[in-house]
Amino acid sequence: MSEYPSPLPWLERSGKVPPLDRPPPLPPSPPVTGEACGCGKARGSCSTPEAVKASAPALERRAEATKPPPAAAAPKKPVKSGPKRPGSGIPARPIIRRLVWARRIAQAGFLGVFLWFLCATAFRGTFAAGAEQAVRLPLPVEAFLLADPFVAAMTLLSTHTVYRGLAWALVIVLVTLVFGRVFCGWICPFGTLHHFFGWIFPSRYLRGGRRVESNKTKLWQRGKYYLMWGFLAAAVAGSAIGGLLDPICVAVRAIGLGVLPALQYLGIRSGEVIAESNVRSLQTAADGTQDVLSQSVWTANQAYFHQTWFILFFLVAILFMNRIVPRFWCRALCPLGAFLGVMSRFALFGMEKDHAKCTDCNLCLVHCQGADSPQGGVKHRKDECHMCLNCENACPEDVIKFRFLPGLKGTVTKPDLERRTVVTAAAAGVVAVPAMRIANWPDKAYSEKVIRPPGAVEEREFLERCIRCAECMKVCPNNALHPAFFEAGVEGLWTPILIPRIGYCEFSCVLCGQVCPTGAIQKIDEKQKMGVGQKPISMGTAMYDQGRCLPWSMATPCIVCEEFCPTSPKAIWAEEVDVPKRDDKYTEKGQHAAMLTVKVQRPHVDPSLCVGCGACEKVCPIVDKPAVYVTNAGETRSKTNVILLENTSYGQG
């Protein structure tokens, strides 16, 4: 009987069946003869080194064949970063997720620093009587304005010089040339304010498809570029009127002159209501809270500002627009964002998209802050991107990548503007300046109420430099400086003017010049202002309406204005005279009262000593219209608006 059964049909061979989970054995190797070692024996029967060496390759081939086959590598499935992540669920790169959180922390931090500086733009101490003790703010509260490239560009074009502090704006320019509009998405406090309001007050209107549609690039986003070119052209013509819409200026002006005084009013009124409750514990808590707030957020006295209602209305209106279009201000009106958008075309860092992977889930559009077309199938708008990185963080298909030196084949690098519209906007900016000035010539016939802060430069140069940031108004310790409405013409809208009836200029205070970021108010010291060893700086001259003055017209003793005059010697001096006055007691019905003689002190002004601080007007007891008032006549900064005629053609010959 044969040792092996008949061949199995499906194996097609006879012999012992090997296990099916092992590879079949190799056929026997031919014997190694004497050719290998010279002995002529078969393989395995010779143990010489030459024979072993000759059989090594065959043994290696046999060992390789007997190895089990490697298991087929199953394709790795992407691990979702969260159970609710849609689509393929491919998570964003860890560096991007960390950068998104870093951006949120940076936004909160810069907004906090901005508000801290704004609250610190105030003086809460006392002034010395002399000029020996300098009073300065300990913090660089104007830092955000000094780092504003649009302000620096306007100042350069209007004055042909760069104010020393504005050199910090070059840092933002360099950052933009490397990373794009990082300032808009990471640093700008006004942009963060819009982002915050859009998040904390979500709109029911912006849901689903409307949210996606609102974040697509729109033609009206060009508007901010046309405004930018118009404001820069106006700067070339000699006016920094672009400060009306600069975001940092708007934030300082609206929050410092509107929001903080409104909160102060509510805080003081709440304290008064609690004080009337006669609950000792509540009264103690309210007093302590008021002390803390008056030393950190606002000052002890309620602040009032001229035309605040209009400034607040503007702020509320643009914040409300976030319920219709996310970050409407940044997309439609911001000239600083447009200025940075023009420079961002040269940025080394940017977006690159793999359009073939996009499944049109629109998650990038839902989270986009700049409406810069992050979705697949369209070109990315590099000039509109805020570098928030939300699009890559939200994309579940690995379509979007932010990297250095990205491919620009699918990117629009420069603003898509119409050349004729740009020329028209620039021409409008140039023409607007003389059009505004012919009705209010700066050095000829402007309102006597336009009393500029101490140290202000001549009016033409003042309008070239003033950016309407309101830092000087916020820091004024006596609430004397206010935003002008049309007192200085259309061009002078929201520039600072002194309103003595609300507050007077402290004689030894020079804080307004310290915080001015453009040099519209010079950084003078106390000796220059008070006239120590030199002529004092004058903002105007006090004048009397003798028909309303008590000693002059009503034979009533009053020397309040003379007592409060801060100059030495006093610019207001009194003339003692005896004047007739009818007795206020009648002896009989129908009889005239007896005539009396009263000694009064009639005030006079020495215009060579008056500095126009407005202290006399502030304290005049005639409430409705003071008997003594200050005009800008005789101001130091003007060579034509004079009141004394010694150095003019009128005083010669």
Side-chain angles (χ1 to χ4, degrees):
M1 186 175 179
S2 176
E3 183 180 358
Y4 299 105
S6 301
L8 296 176
W10 56 279
L11 285 176
E12 297 181 353
R13 65 181 176 83
S14 61
K16 190 175 181 179
V17 179
L20 297 180
D21 58 346
R22 296 180 186 175
L26 291 176
S29 300
V32 179
T33 61
E35 297 176 359
C37 60
C39 64
K41 296 182 180 180
R43 180 185 299 270
S45 61
C46 181
S47 60
T48 61
E50 291 79 1
V52 174
K53 183 176 181 180
S55 64
L59 295 175
E60 290 178 0
R61 288 195 301 271
R62 187 177 182 88
E64 287 291 332
T66 56
K67 284 184 179 180
K76 290 185 178 180
K77 294 183 178 180
V79 180
K80 292 190 176 185
S81 61
K84 296 182 179 180
R85 191 170 178 85
S88 299
I90 302 176
R93 292 176 293 167
I95 183 63
I96 293 298
R97 296 201 296 268
R98 287 193 289 267
L99 284 176
V100 168
W101 276 105
R103 189 253 306 160
R104 293 168 181 167
I105 295 172
Q107 284 183 284
F110 281 113
L111 178 60
V113 172
F114 172 80
L115 294 176
W116 181 35
F117 280 174
L118 190 58
C119 293
T121 310
F123 180 69
R124 300 179 175 89
T126 57
F127 287 93
E132 298 79 14
Q133 182 179 356
V135 176
R136 302 290 185 272
L137 297 183
L139 298 174
V141 295
E142 72 279 17
F144 280 86
L145 291 163
L146 294 176
D148 190 330
F150 186 64
V151 169
M154 284 194 299
T155 305
L156 175 63
L157 293 175
S158 61
T159 66
H160 309 294
T161 58
V162 176
Y163 194 60
R164 57 193 174 197
L166 291 174
W168 285 104
L170 292 176
V171 176
I172 302 300
V173 171
L174 292 176
V175 170
T176 304
L177 293 177
V178 176
F179 296 102
R181 288 177 60 181
V182 174
F183 181 86
C184 300
W186 293 59
I187 301 173
C188 180
F190 200 51
T192 300
L193 192 65
H194 288 275
H195 193 167
F196 174 76
F197 268 82
W199 170 68
I200 201 170
F201 297 116
S203 172
R204 294 183 179 180
Y205 175 81
L206 291 177
R207 290 184 177 180
R210 287 179 178 174
R211 177 79 180 191
V212 172
E213 189 63 29
S214 68
N215 283 339
K216 291 182 178 179
T217 307
K218 302 293 193 303
L219 287 178
W220 49 257
Q221 291 179 227
R222 301 175 179 177
K224 60 180 176 292
Y225 292 98
Y226 299 137
L227 285 172
M228 177 199 71
W229 288 117
F231 286 143
L232 292 179
V236 173
S239 177
I241 197 171
L244 289 174
L245 291 185
D246 181 84
I248 308 299
C249 296
V250 173
V252 174
R253 188 170 57 237
I255 300 175
L257 305 189
V259 176
L260 289 180
L263 294 176
Q264 181 183 18
Y265 177 80
L266 294 175
I268 292 176
R269 290 295 301 160
S270 300
E272 292 175 354
V273 172
I274 293 175
E276 294 173 358
S277 67
N278 293 326
V279 179
R280 187 174 183 82
S281 58
L282 292 178
Q283 292 174 337
T284 302
D287 292 342
T289 303
Q290 290 292 342
D291 290 341
V292 172
L293 292 176
S294 64
Q295 290 297 321
S296 58
V297 180
W298 49 68
T299 56
N301 298 321
Q302 174 66 56
Y304 302 91
F305 290 99
H306 191 51
Q307 303 300 336
T308 300
W309 66 270
F310 190 40
I311 295 173
L312 270 180
F313 175 80
F314 180 69
L315 176 65
V316 172
I318 57 180
L319 287 178
F320 177 79
M321 286 301 298
N322 290 305
R323 298 183 63 82
I324 301 174
V325 178
R327 294 190 74 154
F328 171 79
W329 165 269
C330 307
R331 300 180 186 181
L333 299 176
C334 182
L336 173 57
F339 190 76
L340 297 176
V342 171
M343 291 187 294
S344 67
R345 63 179 297 187
F346 306 106
L348 304 179
F349 188 77
M351 179 194 291
E352 192 173 270
K353 292 188 285 188
D354 187 351
H355 298 273
K357 294 181 180 179
C358 184
T359 59
D360 295 326
C361 66
N362 289 328
L363 285 176
C364 54
L365 280 173
V366 171
H367 298 280
C368 181
Q369 290 294 315
D372 51 83
S373 299
Q375 71 273 27
V378 297
K379 290 189 174 182
H380 176 241
R381 297 296 305 273
K382 192 174 183 180
D383 58 304
E384 297 287 351
C385 182
H386 294 178
M387 290 296 161
C388 66
L389 308 178
N390 283 345
C391 51
E392 182 176 350
N393 189 49
C395 180
E397 307 295 342
D398 197 28
V399 174
I400 300 171
K401 285 285 193 303
F402 280 90
R403 54 168 55 101
F404 282 100
L405 301 176
L408 300 179
K409 187 176 180 180
T411 302
V412 178
T413 58
K414 59 183 180 179
D416 183 17
L417 305 178
E418 296 180 0
R419 184 176 301 177
R420 291 184 178 181
T421 309
V422 171
V423 174
T424 302
V430 172
V431 173
V433 176
M436 291 183 292
R437 288 184 177 177
I438 57 176
N440 193 71
W441 201 246
D443 53 2
K444 291 293 182 183
Y446 55 96
S447 172
E448 72 280 357
K449 296 181 180 179
V450 181
I451 306 171
R452 296 301 187 188
V457 296
E458 186 269 335
E459 186 69 8
R460 280 180 177 270
E461 187 180 356
F462 186 84
L463 294 176
E464 291 175 355
R465 290 182 173 273
C466 181
I467 57 174
R468 291 87 173 158
C469 66
E471 283 280 357
C472 56
M473 311 173 206
K474 179 67 174 63
V475 79
C476 184
N478 292 335
N479 200 192
L481 296 178
H482 298 260
F485 198 43
F486 293 117
E487 295 89 344
V490 177
E491 187 183 4
L493 181 67
W494 293 343
T495 56
I497 59 174
L498 180 74
I499 302 182
R501 200 55 177 162
I502 300 177
Y504 65 93
C505 181
E506 188 69 41
F507 189 47
S508 61
C509 176
V510 293
L511 292 176
C512 54
Q514 180 196 346
V515 301
C516 180
T518 61
I521 307 174
Q522 295 176 320
K523 297 185 184 300
I524 59 175
D525 57 27
E526 288 79 3
K527 293 183 178 180
Q528 289 175 290
K529 184 182 179 185
M530 300 172 68
V532 178
Q534 57 192 304
K535 188 176 180 180
I537 293 176
S538 174
M539 296 170 284
T541 306
M543 299 184 182
Y544 279 94
D545 184 349
Q546 294 183 2
R548 301 180 65 82
C549 183
L550 296 179
W552 279 98
S553 64
M554 302 179 187
T556 301
C558 178
I559 57 170
V560 175
C561 54
E562 189 269 342
E563 289 178 339
F564 275 84
C565 182
T567 63
S568 180
K570 288 182 178 293
I572 297 178
W573 58 277
E575 172 194 9
E576 291 190 3
V577 294
D578 294 330
V579 296
K581 180 180 181 181
R582 191 182 345 187
D583 192 1
D584 57 356
K585 298 179 181 178
Y586 293 84
T587 55
E588 296 181 8
K589 185 176 182 180
Q591 297 294 324
H592 292 289
M595 297 302 295
L596 305 175
T597 300
V598 180
K599 185 182 292 293
V600 296
Q601 293 174 303
R602 288 177 173 175
H604 297 265
V605 177
D606 185 345
S608 64
L609 296 175
C610 184
V611 296
C613 66
C616 52
E617 182 176 346
K618 168 65 177 174
V619 299
C620 181
I622 306 299
V623 176
D624 60 341
K625 184 179 179 181
V628 58
Y629 57 93
V630 177
T631 72
N632 54 26
E635 56 185 349
T636 300
R637 69 193 186 112
S638 176
K639 297 179 180 179
T640 58
N641 186 19
V642 298
I643 193 170
L644 297 178
L645 307 180
E646 287 86 349
N647 298 322
T648 65
S649 59
Y650 297 99
Q652 298 175 0

